[in-house]
mmCIF file of all heavy atoms in Angstrom:
data_model
loop_
_atom_site.group_PDB
_atom_site.id
_atom_site.type_symbol
_atom_site.label_atom_id
_atom_site.label_comp_id
_atom_site.label_asym_id
_atom_site.label_seq_id
_atom_site.Cartn_x
_atom_site.Cartn_y
_atom_site.Cartn_z
ATOM 1 N N GLY A 68 -15.728 37.378 73.707
ATOM 2 C CA GLY A 68 -16.263 36.662 72.553
ATOM 3 C C GLY A 68 -17.695 36.980 72.202
ATOM 4 O O GLY A 68 -18.293 36.308 71.343
ATOM 5 N N GLY A 69 -18.284 37.981 72.833
ATOM 6 C CA GLY A 69 -19.673 38.319 72.537
ATOM 7 C C GLY A 69 -19.941 39.798 72.713
ATOM 8 O O GLY A 69 -19.059 40.583 73.060
ATOM 9 N N LEU A 70 -21.164 40.196 72.471
ATOM 10 C CA LEU A 70 -21.548 41.592 72.581
ATOM 11 C C LEU A 70 -21.389 42.098 73.999
ATOM 12 O O LEU A 70 -21.685 41.392 74.972
ATOM 13 C CB LEU A 70 -22.996 41.777 72.134
ATOM 14 C CG LEU A 70 -23.293 41.493 70.652
ATOM 15 C CD1 LEU A 70 -24.793 41.618 70.399
ATOM 16 C CD2 LEU A 70 -22.512 42.451 69.758
ATOM 17 N N GLY A 71 -20.934 43.342 74.102
ATOM 18 C CA GLY A 71 -20.812 43.997 75.384
ATOM 19 C C GLY A 71 -21.852 45.089 75.504
ATOM 20 O O GLY A 71 -23.030 44.891 75.162
ATOM 21 N N GLU A 72 -21.421 46.254 75.957
ATOM 22 C CA GLU A 72 -22.349 47.376 76.093
ATOM 23 C C GLU A 72 -22.783 47.892 74.721
ATOM 24 O O GLU A 72 -22.113 47.680 73.704
ATOM 25 C CB GLU A 72 -21.675 48.486 76.905
ATOM 26 C CG GLU A 72 -21.330 48.070 78.330
ATOM 27 C CD GLU A 72 -20.629 49.180 79.092
ATOM 28 O OE1 GLU A 72 -21.251 50.236 79.287
ATOM 29 O OE2 GLU A 72 -19.453 48.990 79.472
ATOM 30 N N ASP A 73 -23.881 48.602 74.701
ATOM 31 C CA ASP A 73 -24.435 49.133 73.452
ATOM 32 C C ASP A 73 -23.451 50.110 72.818
ATOM 33 O O ASP A 73 -22.971 51.038 73.475
ATOM 34 C CB ASP A 73 -25.762 49.839 73.736
ATOM 35 C CG ASP A 73 -26.557 50.108 72.464
ATOM 36 O OD1 ASP A 73 -25.971 50.658 71.515
ATOM 37 O OD2 ASP A 73 -27.746 49.773 72.421
ATOM 38 N N ARG A 74 -23.143 49.926 71.542
ATOM 39 C CA ARG A 74 -22.183 50.777 70.847
ATOM 40 C C ARG A 74 -22.631 52.233 70.779
ATOM 41 O O ARG A 74 -21.810 53.145 70.594
ATOM 42 C CB ARG A 74 -21.920 50.250 69.434
ATOM 43 C CG ARG A 74 -23.149 50.139 68.584
ATOM 44 C CD ARG A 74 -22.865 49.438 67.266
ATOM 45 N NE ARG A 74 -22.082 50.289 66.373
ATOM 46 C CZ ARG A 74 -21.438 49.832 65.300
ATOM 47 N NH1 ARG A 74 -21.426 48.544 65.027
ATOM 48 N NH2 ARG A 74 -20.800 50.662 64.517
ATOM 49 N N SER A 75 -23.919 52.478 70.937
ATOM 50 C CA SER A 75 -24.419 53.856 70.899
ATOM 51 C C SER A 75 -23.917 54.671 72.088
ATOM 52 O O SER A 75 -24.008 55.906 72.086
ATOM 53 C CB SER A 75 -25.951 53.869 70.868
ATOM 54 O OG SER A 75 -26.485 53.354 72.080
ATOM 55 N N LEU A 76 -23.398 53.994 73.110
ATOM 56 C CA LEU A 76 -22.879 54.690 74.287
ATOM 57 C C LEU A 76 -21.493 55.277 74.055
ATOM 58 O O LEU A 76 -21.016 56.065 74.862
ATOM 59 C CB LEU A 76 -22.817 53.717 75.478
ATOM 60 C CG LEU A 76 -24.160 53.120 75.933
ATOM 61 C CD1 LEU A 76 -23.921 52.088 77.027
ATOM 62 C CD2 LEU A 76 -25.082 54.231 76.430
ATOM 63 N N VAL A 77 -20.840 54.898 72.962
ATOM 64 C CA VAL A 77 -19.474 55.363 72.684
ATOM 65 C C VAL A 77 -19.514 56.764 72.093
ATOM 66 O O VAL A 77 -20.167 57.004 71.066
ATOM 67 C CB VAL A 77 -18.744 54.413 71.722
ATOM 68 C CG1 VAL A 77 -17.325 54.906 71.487
ATOM 69 C CG2 VAL A 77 -18.734 52.999 72.270
ATOM 70 N N ASP A 78 -18.818 57.693 72.715
ATOM 71 C CA ASP A 78 -18.694 59.059 72.200
ATOM 72 C C ASP A 78 -17.451 59.132 71.319
ATOM 73 O O ASP A 78 -16.321 59.058 71.809
ATOM 74 C CB ASP A 78 -18.586 60.043 73.364
ATOM 75 C CG ASP A 78 -18.491 61.493 72.900
ATOM 76 O OD1 ASP A 78 -18.603 61.745 71.676
ATOM 77 O OD2 ASP A 78 -18.273 62.378 73.760
ATOM 78 N N MET A 79 -17.649 59.280 70.029
ATOM 79 C CA MET A 79 -16.537 59.317 69.076
ATOM 80 C C MET A 79 -16.178 60.732 68.652
ATOM 81 O O MET A 79 -15.357 60.928 67.754
ATOM 82 C CB MET A 79 -16.894 58.490 67.842
ATOM 83 C CG MET A 79 -17.103 57.012 68.104
ATOM 84 S SD MET A 79 -15.571 56.169 68.531
ATOM 85 C CE MET A 79 -14.738 56.139 66.945
ATOM 86 N N THR A 80 -16.749 61.739 69.298
ATOM 87 C CA THR A 80 -16.496 63.115 68.874
ATOM 88 C C THR A 80 -15.152 63.684 69.329
ATOM 89 O O THR A 80 -14.612 64.565 68.647
ATOM 90 C CB THR A 80 -17.621 64.049 69.353
ATOM 91 O OG1 THR A 80 -17.721 63.979 70.788
ATOM 92 C CG2 THR A 80 -18.952 63.656 68.722
ATOM 93 N N PRO A 81 -14.565 63.221 70.450
ATOM 94 C CA PRO A 81 -13.271 63.805 70.842
ATOM 95 C C PRO A 81 -12.183 63.549 69.805
ATOM 96 O O PRO A 81 -12.213 62.556 69.070
ATOM 97 C CB PRO A 81 -12.943 63.084 72.155
ATOM 98 C CG PRO A 81 -14.255 62.626 72.683
ATOM 99 C CD PRO A 81 -15.064 62.279 71.466
ATOM 100 N N ARG A 82 -11.215 64.444 69.734
ATOM 101 C CA ARG A 82 -10.092 64.274 68.813
ATOM 102 C C ARG A 82 -9.335 62.981 69.105
ATOM 103 O O ARG A 82 -8.920 62.272 68.186
ATOM 104 C CB ARG A 82 -9.142 65.475 68.956
ATOM 105 C CG ARG A 82 -7.803 65.333 68.244
ATOM 106 C CD ARG A 82 -7.905 65.643 66.783
ATOM 107 N NE ARG A 82 -6.690 65.274 66.062
ATOM 108 C CZ ARG A 82 -6.314 65.814 64.906
ATOM 109 N NH1 ARG A 82 -7.056 66.757 64.356
ATOM 110 N NH2 ARG A 82 -5.217 65.426 64.298
ATOM 111 N N GLU A 83 -9.163 62.655 70.384
ATOM 112 C CA GLU A 83 -8.421 61.451 70.751
ATOM 113 C C GLU A 83 -9.364 60.265 70.917
ATOM 114 O O GLU A 83 -10.313 60.319 71.698
ATOM 115 C CB GLU A 83 -7.639 61.686 72.032
ATOM 116 C CG GLU A 83 -6.720 60.538 72.424
ATOM 117 C CD GLU A 83 -5.833 60.885 73.598
ATOM 118 O OE1 GLU A 83 -4.966 61.771 73.444
ATOM 119 O OE2 GLU A 83 -6.024 60.281 74.673
ATOM 120 N N THR A 84 -9.076 59.199 70.177
ATOM 121 C CA THR A 84 -9.850 57.960 70.272
ATOM 122 C C THR A 84 -8.972 56.883 70.892
ATOM 123 O O THR A 84 -7.851 56.651 70.427
ATOM 124 C CB THR A 84 -10.317 57.497 68.877
ATOM 125 O OG1 THR A 84 -11.170 58.496 68.308
ATOM 126 C CG2 THR A 84 -11.060 56.175 68.968
ATOM 127 N N ARG A 85 -9.475 56.221 71.917
ATOM 128 C CA ARG A 85 -8.710 55.165 72.593
ATOM 129 C C ARG A 85 -9.387 53.820 72.369
ATOM 130 O O ARG A 85 -10.560 53.634 72.719
ATOM 131 C CB ARG A 85 -8.563 55.466 74.077
ATOM 132 C CG ARG A 85 -7.645 56.664 74.331
ATOM 133 C CD ARG A 85 -7.169 56.751 75.767
ATOM 134 N NE ARG A 85 -6.070 57.708 75.879
ATOM 135 C CZ ARG A 85 -4.787 57.403 75.781
ATOM 136 N NH1 ARG A 85 -4.430 56.146 75.576
ATOM 137 N NH2 ARG A 85 -3.852 58.320 75.894
ATOM 138 N N ILE A 86 -8.622 52.900 71.797
ATOM 139 C CA ILE A 86 -9.095 51.536 71.563
ATOM 140 C C ILE A 86 -8.250 50.610 72.428
ATOM 141 O O ILE A 86 -7.035 50.481 72.216
ATOM 142 C CB ILE A 86 -8.979 51.149 70.080
ATOM 143 C CG1 ILE A 86 -9.828 52.101 69.222
ATOM 144 C CG2 ILE A 86 -9.394 49.698 69.864
ATOM 145 C CD1 ILE A 86 -9.696 51.883 67.727
ATOM 146 N N ASP A 87 -8.881 49.999 73.417
ATOM 147 C CA ASP A 87 -8.182 49.122 74.354
ATOM 148 C C ASP A 87 -8.588 47.677 74.087
ATOM 149 O O ASP A 87 -9.783 47.342 74.094
ATOM 150 C CB ASP A 87 -8.518 49.506 75.794
ATOM 151 C CG ASP A 87 -8.083 50.931 76.116
ATOM 152 O OD1 ASP A 87 -6.918 51.265 75.846
ATOM 153 O OD2 ASP A 87 -8.925 51.700 76.624
ATOM 154 N N ILE A 88 -7.590 46.827 73.863
ATOM 155 C CA ILE A 88 -7.829 45.418 73.549
ATOM 156 C C ILE A 88 -7.200 44.567 74.644
ATOM 157 O O ILE A 88 -5.978 44.577 74.822
ATOM 158 C CB ILE A 88 -7.212 45.053 72.187
ATOM 159 C CG1 ILE A 88 -7.747 45.985 71.086
ATOM 160 C CG2 ILE A 88 -7.470 43.595 71.848
ATOM 161 C CD1 ILE A 88 -6.973 45.912 69.796
ATOM 162 N N ALA A 89 -8.003 43.857 75.386
ATOM 163 C CA ALA A 89 -7.516 42.986 76.459
ATOM 164 C C ALA A 89 -7.511 41.547 75.963
ATOM 165 O O ALA A 89 -8.566 40.986 75.642
ATOM 166 C CB ALA A 89 -8.398 43.121 77.693
ATOM 167 N N LEU A 90 -6.311 40.949 75.890
ATOM 168 C CA LEU A 90 -6.182 39.585 75.372
ATOM 169 C C LEU A 90 -6.371 38.521 76.446
ATOM 170 O O LEU A 90 -6.699 37.378 76.137
ATOM 171 C CB LEU A 90 -4.808 39.398 74.721
ATOM 172 C CG LEU A 90 -4.467 40.317 73.547
ATOM 173 C CD1 LEU A 90 -3.085 39.971 73.004
ATOM 174 C CD2 LEU A 90 -5.505 40.213 72.450
ATOM 175 N N HIS A 91 -6.091 38.879 77.691
ATOM 176 C CA HIS A 91 -6.199 37.932 78.809
ATOM 177 C C HIS A 91 -5.342 36.683 78.588
ATOM 178 O O HIS A 91 -5.751 35.564 78.894
ATOM 179 C CB HIS A 91 -7.669 37.527 79.042
ATOM 180 C CG HIS A 91 -8.561 38.676 79.366
ATOM 181 N ND1 HIS A 91 -8.483 39.373 80.547
ATOM 182 C CD2 HIS A 91 -9.545 39.275 78.644
ATOM 183 C CE1 HIS A 91 -9.390 40.349 80.546
ATOM 184 N NE2 HIS A 91 -10.047 40.306 79.404
ATOM 185 N N ALA A 92 -4.128 36.907 78.061
ATOM 186 C CA ALA A 92 -3.214 35.795 77.806
ATOM 187 C C ALA A 92 -1.910 35.927 78.578
ATOM 188 O O ALA A 92 -1.108 34.995 78.607
ATOM 189 C CB ALA A 92 -2.910 35.695 76.309
ATOM 190 N N GLY A 93 -1.673 37.079 79.198
ATOM 191 C CA GLY A 93 -0.422 37.322 79.910
ATOM 192 C C GLY A 93 -0.485 38.648 80.637
ATOM 193 O O GLY A 93 -1.575 39.162 80.918
ATOM 194 N N GLU A 94 0.694 39.232 80.896
ATOM 195 C CA GLU A 94 0.760 40.459 81.690
ATOM 196 C C GLU A 94 1.304 41.658 80.920
ATOM 197 O O GLU A 94 1.308 42.770 81.429
ATOM 198 C CB GLU A 94 1.656 40.229 82.916
ATOM 199 C CG GLU A 94 1.195 39.098 83.831
ATOM 200 C CD GLU A 94 -0.155 39.392 84.446
ATOM 201 O OE1 GLU A 94 -0.448 40.573 84.717
ATOM 202 O OE2 GLU A 94 -0.930 38.433 84.654
ATOM 203 N N ALA A 95 1.778 41.459 79.687
ATOM 204 C CA ALA A 95 2.464 42.533 78.965
ATOM 205 C C ALA A 95 1.490 43.420 78.201
ATOM 206 O O ALA A 95 0.364 43.007 77.869
ATOM 207 C CB ALA A 95 3.489 41.937 78.004
ATOM 208 N N GLN A 96 1.953 44.647 77.907
ATOM 209 C CA GLN A 96 1.120 45.570 77.165
ATOM 210 C C GLN A 96 1.985 46.491 76.309
ATOM 211 O O GLN A 96 3.179 46.641 76.530
ATOM 212 C CB GLN A 96 0.252 46.408 78.097
ATOM 213 C CG GLN A 96 1.017 47.388 78.976
ATOM 214 C CD GLN A 96 0.064 48.207 79.833
ATOM 215 O OE1 GLN A 96 -0.774 47.669 80.546
ATOM 216 N NE2 GLN A 96 0.204 49.519 79.765
ATOM 217 N N ALA A 97 1.345 47.139 75.325
ATOM 218 C CA ALA A 97 2.017 48.113 74.466
ATOM 219 C C ALA A 97 0.961 48.972 73.798
ATOM 220 O O ALA A 97 -0.177 48.537 73.576
ATOM 221 C CB ALA A 97 2.877 47.420 73.410
ATOM 222 N N THR A 98 1.359 50.204 73.463
ATOM 223 C CA THR A 98 0.466 51.142 72.787
ATOM 224 C C THR A 98 1.095 51.591 71.471
ATOM 225 O O THR A 98 2.274 51.940 71.430
ATOM 226 C CB THR A 98 0.170 52.375 73.653
ATOM 227 O OG1 THR A 98 -0.490 51.957 74.853
ATOM 228 C CG2 THR A 98 -0.721 53.370 72.914
ATOM 229 N N VAL A 99 0.301 51.580 70.413
ATOM 230 C CA VAL A 99 0.705 52.113 69.111
ATOM 231 C C VAL A 99 -0.268 53.228 68.752
ATOM 232 O O VAL A 99 -1.481 53.072 68.892
ATOM 233 C CB VAL A 99 0.693 51.023 68.024
ATOM 234 C CG1 VAL A 99 0.884 51.633 66.637
ATOM 235 C CG2 VAL A 99 1.783 49.989 68.298
ATOM 236 N N TRP A 100 0.283 54.349 68.287
ATOM 237 C CA TRP A 100 -0.546 55.482 67.897
ATOM 238 C C TRP A 100 -0.739 55.501 66.383
ATOM 239 O O TRP A 100 0.176 55.216 65.619
ATOM 240 C CB TRP A 100 0.096 56.793 68.331
ATOM 241 C CG TRP A 100 -0.044 57.082 69.781
ATOM 242 C CD1 TRP A 100 0.799 56.726 70.790
ATOM 243 C CD2 TRP A 100 -1.116 57.803 70.403
ATOM 244 N NE1 TRP A 100 0.326 57.166 71.998
ATOM 245 C CE2 TRP A 100 -0.841 57.837 71.800
ATOM 246 C CE3 TRP A 100 -2.269 58.423 69.922
ATOM 247 C CZ2 TRP A 100 -1.690 58.470 72.701
ATOM 248 C CZ3 TRP A 100 -3.116 59.052 70.831
ATOM 249 C CH2 TRP A 100 -2.827 59.065 72.197
ATOM 250 N N THR A 101 -1.942 55.838 65.960
ATOM 251 C CA THR A 101 -2.228 56.041 64.553
ATOM 252 C C THR A 101 -3.240 57.173 64.436
ATOM 253 O O THR A 101 -3.458 57.922 65.397
ATOM 254 C CB THR A 101 -2.726 54.736 63.891
ATOM 255 O OG1 THR A 101 -2.855 54.945 62.487
ATOM 256 C CG2 THR A 101 -4.054 54.281 64.470
ATOM 257 N N ASN A 102 -3.844 57.319 63.282
ATOM 258 C CA ASN A 102 -4.851 58.363 63.078
ATOM 259 C C ASN A 102 -5.868 57.881 62.063
ATOM 260 O O ASN A 102 -5.695 56.833 61.428
ATOM 261 C CB ASN A 102 -4.194 59.658 62.602
ATOM 262 C CG ASN A 102 -3.313 59.447 61.396
ATOM 263 O OD1 ASN A 102 -2.109 59.230 61.553
ATOM 264 N ND2 ASN A 102 -3.877 59.467 60.201
ATOM 265 N N ASP A 103 -6.943 58.635 61.909
ATOM 266 C CA ASP A 103 -7.976 58.216 60.965
ATOM 267 C C ASP A 103 -7.546 58.520 59.532
ATOM 268 O O ASP A 103 -6.558 59.210 59.275
ATOM 269 C CB ASP A 103 -9.320 58.857 61.299
ATOM 270 C CG ASP A 103 -9.278 60.381 61.327
ATOM 271 O OD1 ASP A 103 -8.177 60.958 61.220
ATOM 272 O OD2 ASP A 103 -10.350 61.001 61.459
ATOM 273 N N LEU A 104 -8.296 57.966 58.592
ATOM 274 C CA LEU A 104 -8.014 58.131 57.170
ATOM 275 C C LEU A 104 -9.144 58.944 56.554
ATOM 276 O O LEU A 104 -10.305 58.525 56.565
ATOM 277 C CB LEU A 104 -7.910 56.758 56.495
ATOM 278 C CG LEU A 104 -7.608 56.732 54.995
ATOM 279 C CD1 LEU A 104 -6.306 57.448 54.687
ATOM 280 C CD2 LEU A 104 -7.554 55.292 54.496
ATOM 281 N N THR A 105 -8.791 60.097 56.007
ATOM 282 C CA THR A 105 -9.802 61.028 55.512
ATOM 283 C C THR A 105 -9.526 61.406 54.054
ATOM 284 O O THR A 105 -8.485 61.092 53.488
ATOM 285 C CB THR A 105 -9.790 62.319 56.346
ATOM 286 O OG1 THR A 105 -8.557 63.018 56.102
ATOM 287 C CG2 THR A 105 -9.916 62.017 57.839
#
């Protein structure tokens, strides 16, 4: 619910971008793939 590490530390140059969202509400998980809009 608040700020974490400095966003400037994120390297966005690789082709693959991973966005991990931890809900802390249960044990299940799933991954959906998408791409950027250019």
Side-chain angles (χ1 to χ4, degrees):
L70 295 176
E72 297 178 63
D73 194 310
R74 58 188 288 164
S75 66
L76 299 175
V77 181
D78 182 5
M79 297 291 288
T80 58
R82 170 81 190 204
E83 186 173 294
T84 298
R85 291 196 167 268
I86 300 175
D87 299 309
I88 305 167
L90 300 181
H91 300 291
E94 301 297 327
Q96 67 178 53
T98 298
V99 170
W100 284 90
T101 186
N102 53 267
D103 57 353
L104 180 58
T105 68

